[in-house]
Amino acid sequence: MTVSTARPSDGVRVVTVDRPPVNALPVQGWYDLADAVRTAGRDPEVRCVVLAAAGRGFNAGVDIKELQRDTGHEALIGANRGCAEAFAAVYTCEVPVVAAVQGFCLGGGVGLVGNADAIVASEDAVFGLPELDRGALGAATHLARLVPQHLMRTLYYTSRTVTAAELLAHGSVWRVVPPDELMHTALELAEEIAAKDGHLLRLAKAALNGIDPVDVRRSYRFEQGFTFEANLAGTADRVRDTFGKEA
């Protein structure tokens, strides 16, 4: 099972990603996640969605091995489009989305939480974009929603990570809690949101998206163009082939 949906309380839906060992999603997995979030948001009985993950980490991005197995560009194009669909599904979900993040949140994981409405993180959570180490580009659009511009650039160029506590200091994380309290805290926030009028919540979500200073969907797709350029130039394959190997 890769993506599942649960109904823990009135008005709340939990969409959970579970793909061992690190929740790195294949092309179809990104589309499945997008469908699950959109379906939850379209349900008139739902007033808040919690995006969660099973295992020791929230999300490790795309399935690099799937890209390495492909001798052409089909997997890359699929991953680009699938990620764009999943990130957009979170952003355009008709109701607020709360991300519950534990362990590592890397690459596509940052794309998901950067487009969420609120983030609850466990004390062991770390966030980052190791894209330059994996022959890719992208999701700077979403990291920029979590940290200031110069820090975003430093993290992007170095592939370093930032902790949940540091994001709390920047005001982009709502709460940082022990791992065993993560889902309880995320659901508590979701239930507080879900106690509001459903119609007003949908209007509020549309209004807040409408005043965003950056069009996140257009911005991310612009980034992906450079990812594809790196692949056409052969740079991406050269760097990607070193992934998982000792220097």
Side-chain angles (χ1 to χ4, degrees):
M1 180 182 295
T2 299
V3 181
S4 62
T5 303
R7 303 183 178 191
S9 58
D10 183 44
V12 175
R13 295 294 179 272
V14 177
V15 175
T16 303
V17 174
D18 184 5
R19 189 173 190 263
V22 295
N23 287 328
L25 293 180
V27 171
Q28 188 58 50
W30 291 106
Y31 283 105
D32 292 344
L33 178 56
D35 288 343
V37 172
R38 287 195 177 107
T39 298
R42 288 170 181 159
D43 185 339
E45 299 300 317
V46 174
R47 297 183 294 281
C48 189
V49 173
V50 175
L51 182 59
R56 58 192 177 90
F58 179 78
N59 189 285
V62 304
D63 186 345
I64 297 295
K65 293 180 179 179
E66 183 179 38
L67 298 181
Q68 291 173 325
R69 289 193 298 267
D70 186 10
T71 57
H73 298 297
E74 184 176 350
L76 174 67
I77 294 172
N80 278 2
R81 290 179 175 173
C83 284
E85 285 293 313
F87 301 169
V90 173
Y91 185 76
T92 62
C93 182
E94 296 177 24
V95 298
V97 176
V98 174
V101 182
Q102 84 277 12
F104 46 81
C105 179
L106 306 172
V110 169
L112 294 170
V113 303
N115 271 358
D117 294 277
I119 305 167
V120 177
S122 64
E123 294 169 338
D124 64 348
V126 293
F127 304 74
L129 294 178
E131 313 307 277
L132 294 186
D133 289 342
R134 298 182 181 179
L137 298 167
T141 293
H142 311 93
L143 185 58
R145 295 166 68 82
L146 303 177
V147 299
Q149 273 288 326
H150 283 83
L151 178 55
M152 179 275 288
R153 287 171 179 255
T154 302
L155 294 172
Y156 196 84
Y157 293 145
T158 62
S159 298
R160 289 178 177 266
T161 58
V162 62
T163 67
E166 290 173 298
L167 290 189
L168 181 67
H170 287 295
S172 49
V173 165
W174 173 248
R175 291 283 187 272
V176 177
V177 297
D180 60 356
E181 297 178 17
L182 177 62
M183 281 307 298
H184 171 77
T185 306
L187 288 172
E188 188 175 59
L189 175 58
E191 288 166 0
E192 181 177 351
I193 293 170
K196 308 297 183 185
D197 180 84
H199 183 219
L200 282 178
L201 278 174
R202 283 169 166 76
L203 291 176
K205 177 68 180 275
L208 292 178
N209 282 2
I211 63 172
D212 255 339
V214 175
D215 182 336
V216 295
R217 290 170 291 179
R218 182 200 60 78
S219 181
Y220 177 59
R221 292 296 277 168
F222 178 81
E223 288 187 74
Q224 287 188 321
F226 289 95
T227 300
F228 197 66
E229 181 177 329
N231 275 268
L232 291 178
T235 306
D237 286 338
R238 174 170 51 80
V239 175
R240 190 182 299 122
D241 285 345
T242 67
F243 177 69
K245 299 177 182 179
E246 293 183 359

